[in-house]
Amino acid sequence: MRQILFAGAIGLFLTLIGTPLLIKLLARKGYGQFIRDDGPRTHGSKKGTPTMGGISFILATLIAYALAKVITGEDPTYSGILVLFLMAGMGLVGFLDDYIKIVKQRSLGLRAKAKMAGQLIVGIAFAVLALQFSDKRGLAPASTKLSFITDFGWTIGPVLFVVWALFMILAMSNGVNLTDGLDGLATGASVMVFGAYTFIGLWQFQESCANAETLTNPNACFEVRDPLDLAVVASALMGACFGFLWWNTSPAKIFMGDTGSLALGGALAGLAICSRTELLLAILGGLFVLITLSVVIQVGSFRMTGKRVFRMAPLQHHFELKGWSEVLVVVRFWIIQGMCVIVGLGLFYAGWAADK
């Protein structure tokens, strides 16, 4: 428990004091946001706002996790390190994308193939490594079974697992990336989901099958390799994003850029895979799924019928063009995300209680 509190508090403190320093550095170098001409007209004022803010909470998360271990004297785990690796690796791909956008002054950074290649390399490395490092109970950080509240069904094998893990990583990374279109929207939504995973990791630790002899009902235990350390990682991310939100909320002083959005999406996918809640992530991160679906529907409809369903995709821009203020869209979308987290945690607890 102390690790969780320390990680969250340190992550919050580091981004609160570190982000303004990063803002000054990026502004001095002229690393400002490039605004697309086809976006909402109200976004024109955002041009030149420092971007690549994801650097702030990525570094804060890594430092918070390390310091929490040093302070408590606990050892890092493979599960925690792998999730952090996935976050940092995806963040590096996003950083390269952001850097090219800034240097070449264009709204598109890395070429699609290069960006996809970078994501695939990081994702495959994570998926392969996550099936290694079994503990004394034979549990690896990830499982080759699909999962919702816990593992279910049959084993899909290592090859299909890698494919499935890649799908999750790419889907969540790009989902957060699409959501990051309004000040504070993706950051605030991510804080809620990381808060949910802090609770899930702590609950799984308390009801772990490793402690079966002390549980009132061993049949309702969780087979997760390092649940407490996953809670530590989630807490560090929650705190770091919360501190970043202070500077990222409207009017934003800094944007997270692809550096941040790809990192957050990777972290969410990694937490879901290692905590055996893969399909539950679609509910916990419901806002990211909804916004991604709006793009899929818009593109599909235009290609098949030549007509658009929304005034603009992703979905948040549709409501902006309908006359909603940016703050109104963000707050209402946060409410939607909050409801998704409540439903997801309710299902998680109900699934555990049903087995008792």
Side-chain angles (χ1 to χ4, degrees):
M1 177 63 77
R2 289 195 306 148
Q3 296 180 71
I4 296 174
L5 295 175
F6 280 130
I10 295 171
L12 173 63
F13 175 76
L14 289 176
T15 47
L16 278 176
I17 67 169
T19 303
L21 300 177
L22 179 63
I23 292 173
K24 292 179 180 179
L25 174 63
L26 294 173
R28 188 161 56 244
K29 290 184 173 293
Y31 290 174
Q33 179 70 26
F34 186 91
I35 303 298
R36 293 171 54 182
D37 295 330
D38 58 348
R41 293 181 180 178
T42 54
H43 289 201
S45 61
K46 298 173 187 256
K47 185 175 182 179
T49 301
T51 187
M52 295 195 293
I55 295 172
S56 173
F57 56 74
I58 291 173
L59 292 178
T61 299
L62 295 173
I63 295 171
Y65 177 82
L67 288 180
K69 293 298 179 183
V70 172
I71 293 171
T72 60
E74 299 291 339
D75 294 326
T77 68
Y78 287 114
S79 298
I81 291 173
L82 282 171
V83 173
L84 293 174
F85 161 77
L86 181 58
M87 174 196 72
M90 297 299 288
L92 177 59
V93 176
F95 172 81
L96 294 174
D97 190 41
D98 285 334
Y99 186 76
I100 292 174
K101 289 178 187 176
I102 294 167
V103 172
K104 296 192 176 182
Q105 285 294 294
R106 68 187 192 195
S107 61
L108 298 177
L110 282 173
R111 300 298 180 188
K113 290 183 179 180
K115 189 173 182 178
M116 178 62 71
Q119 291 176 302
L120 287 175
I121 291 170
V122 175
I124 291 173
F126 167 82
V128 171
L129 291 173
L131 293 178
Q132 315 303 318
F133 313 114
S134 298
D135 63 9
K136 60 184 179 182
R137 293 180 295 148
L139 293 177
S143 168
T144 54
K145 290 186 176 182
L146 297 179
S147 60
F148 182 54
I149 306 300
T150 58
D151 287 343
F152 70 87
W154 58 91
T155 300
I156 62 175
V159 176
L160 286 180
F161 166 77
V162 171
V163 175
W164 169 241
L166 280 175
F167 171 77
M168 286 191 62
I169 294 166
L170 294 175
M172 286 310 302
S173 295
N174 291 290
V176 178
N177 184 252
L178 291 171
T179 304
D180 182 36
L182 302 182
D183 294 356
L185 178 58
T187 309
S190 297
V191 167
M192 299 181 206
V193 187
F194 289 131
Y197 270 109
T198 302
F199 170 81
I200 287 173
L202 183 59
W203 192 266
Q204 288 178 332
F205 173 71
Q206 293 175 340
E207 301 295 329
S208 174
C209 294
N211 307 319
E213 64 277 2
T214 63
L215 300 178
T216 55
N217 185 359
N219 294 324
C221 64
F222 294 98
E223 287 282 12
V224 178
R225 190 191 192 284
D226 306 299
L228 183 61
D229 210 37
L230 293 175
V232 174
V233 172
S235 179
L237 280 159
M238 177 179 65
C241 288
F242 212 172
F244 181 75
L245 183 60
W246 181 272
W247 306 101
N248 181 233
T249 194
S250 183
K253 301 293 189 295
I254 188 171
F255 300 137
M256 69 168 70
D258 283 12
T259 305
S261 59
L262 295 188
L264 292 182
L268 288 170
L271 287 169
I273 291 169
C274 292
S275 65
R276 313 291 204 269
T277 56
E278 296 161 357
L279 298 179
L280 184 64
L281 179 59
I283 299 173
L284 291 172
L287 180 64
F288 304 128
V289 175
L290 178 65
I291 287 176
T292 302
L293 286 176
S294 73
V295 175
V296 173
I297 292 170
Q298 184 86 324
V299 173
S301 175
F302 187 75
R303 287 183 176 178
M304 290 188 292
T305 67
K307 297 180 180 179
R308 293 178 172 85
V309 177
F310 307 105
R311 294 187 179 185
M312 185 178 179
L315 187 62
Q316 62 269 32
H317 299 317
H318 166 78
F319 288 102
E320 277 193 290
L321 294 179
K322 287 191 67 174
W324 291 20
S325 69
E326 180 174 0
V327 173
L328 180 62
V329 176
V330 170
V331 172
R332 287 183 173 174
F333 275 39
W334 279 352
I335 292 172
I336 293 172
Q337 177 55 49
M339 290 189 292
C340 290
V341 167
I342 291 171
V343 171
L345 288 178
L347 290 172
F348 175 79
Y349 181 79
W352 171 80
D355 290 333
K356 292 197 69 176

